Amino acid sequence: MKISIVRKIKVKPSARVMQVSGMFDVPPSEISEECWEGELPLEQKSWNIGLIVGPSGSGKSTIAREIFGENIVTGYDWPQEQSILDGFPKDVSISEITQVLGQTGFSSPPLWLRPFHVLSNGQQFRVTVARAILENRPLFAIDEFTSVVDRVVAQIGSHAIGKAVRVRNRKFIAISCHYDIIPWLQPDWIFEPATMKFDWRSVQSRPPILIEIRRVHRSAWHFFKKYHYLSADLHTAAHCYVAFYGAVPVAFFAVLASMNPIETIWRLHRTVCLPDYQGCGIATAATDAIAAFYATSGRRVYAATGHPGLVRYRAKSPLWKMAQAPHISRRAGDRLVSTFQFVGKVQEDIPGFTEKTAV
């Protein structure tokens, strides 16, 4: 694919234009001329993710519009008084919508029921990508990728979106001025218009995320409860933990003793990861670590969940085995849940259980 673009910008003369033109010796009839010449050899290899990156004014958007114009997603007309679910194409099933929302790192059913305009920038960002994926375009591009979100959120969101694109085998091009997303998005190729440099890359592992799990007072639940997909209730006897990413609390977990006539067992009572930090494995890594710690007593540890992402993870994980197939649970408000037993290696020598876990 050859690139040969020339842009001439002309401005109608005015008194102010003439003054500045005279002051700085700039021809008033033709303000500037910009040229780009190079190649995008995208036919040479198979790929899923590309990145056009560089500083503002380097020509990213101009080149992208010239080459991928009709495939650039600029936004959607979302319904104002309906949930985001009603904004997706009518021929897409609700199971497919929720699956792709989860794959892009937006796994909060309570937030799925809200209109698009009330979501945060980070949440809108992920929902927009999910809708673009479900439109089944052969290729789609997003300009100003991650420009409106916090940089940590941008990095984690880039990782989740990259995984979703590859799982669905789509072709996606991010157009961004931020280089910090490269290790997280892991593009197959990078094009820099400032130097007209194009490079193929090999996909690598994303940077590790180090979380610290601490025992906390149950009042921490108030910060997380609105994101829980089943109930805002928390048992008064629950042991509570929070996962911190740096100094930021990003996920909450509760464990509860459950007694029967034969033995006392532990069960995971609540698991909530904040929406901006979903999609990179924080919840699964932390629950594995917590379950391993409680298994040190020699007692069995169980987790019942109806969340599609957690069900898929535990069904594949060697650390868990299904103890009860999907069933309607009265404890879960007559919802469909699956129950798993922890069968992994136990943790030892963790005084007070403050653990640092790499995700």
Side-chain angles (χ1 to χ4, degrees), residues 107-110 211 213 216 220-235 238-243 249-256 266-275 277-279 281-291 294 301-311 313-314 320 332 338 340 353:
S107 303
S108 299
I211 59 170
I213 306 167
V216 296
W221 174 241
H222 293 289
F223 183 61
F224 294 90
K225 65 180 182 181
K226 69 178 180 179
Y227 301 107
H228 194 257
Y229 72 104
L230 287 179
S231 169
D233 296 334
L234 180 70
H235 198 284
H239 296 184
C240 301
Y241 299 88
V242 165
V250 299
F252 178 94
F253 311 92
V255 184
L256 193 62
W266 294 103
R267 63 182 177 90
L268 301 186
H269 175 49
R270 292 288 179 260
T271 299
V272 180
C273 185
L274 295 183
Y277 297 89
Q278 294 173 0
I282 289 176
T284 53
T287 51
D288 288 351
I290 291 170
Y294 276 85
V301 180
Y302 290 90
T305 181
H307 193 286
L310 284 174
V311 171
Y313 168 76
R314 288 178 181 148
W320 298 88
S338 300
F340 295 87
F353 191 65

Side-chain angles (χ1 to χ4, degrees), residues 62 68 300:
T62 300
F68 308 110
R300 291 183 290 168

Side-chain angles (χ1 to χ4, degrees), residues 1 3 26-27 31 42 50 67 75 92 134 143 151 194 237 244 290 332:
M1 185 182 295
I3 300 172
V26 179
I31 299 301
L42 304 185
I67 300 174
V92 180
L134 284 170
D143 201 358
R151 297 323 304 156
F244 291 84
I290 291 170

Side-chain angles (χ1 to χ4, degrees), residues 78-79 82-90 92 94 97-98 101 109 112-114:
W78 295 91
Q82 294 175 281
S83 81
I84 59 169
L85 301 173
D86 296 307
F88 284 85
K90 300 299 181 185
V92 180
I94 189 63
I97 292 171
T98 56
L101 286 171
W112 295 346
L113 306 182
R114 297 184 180 183

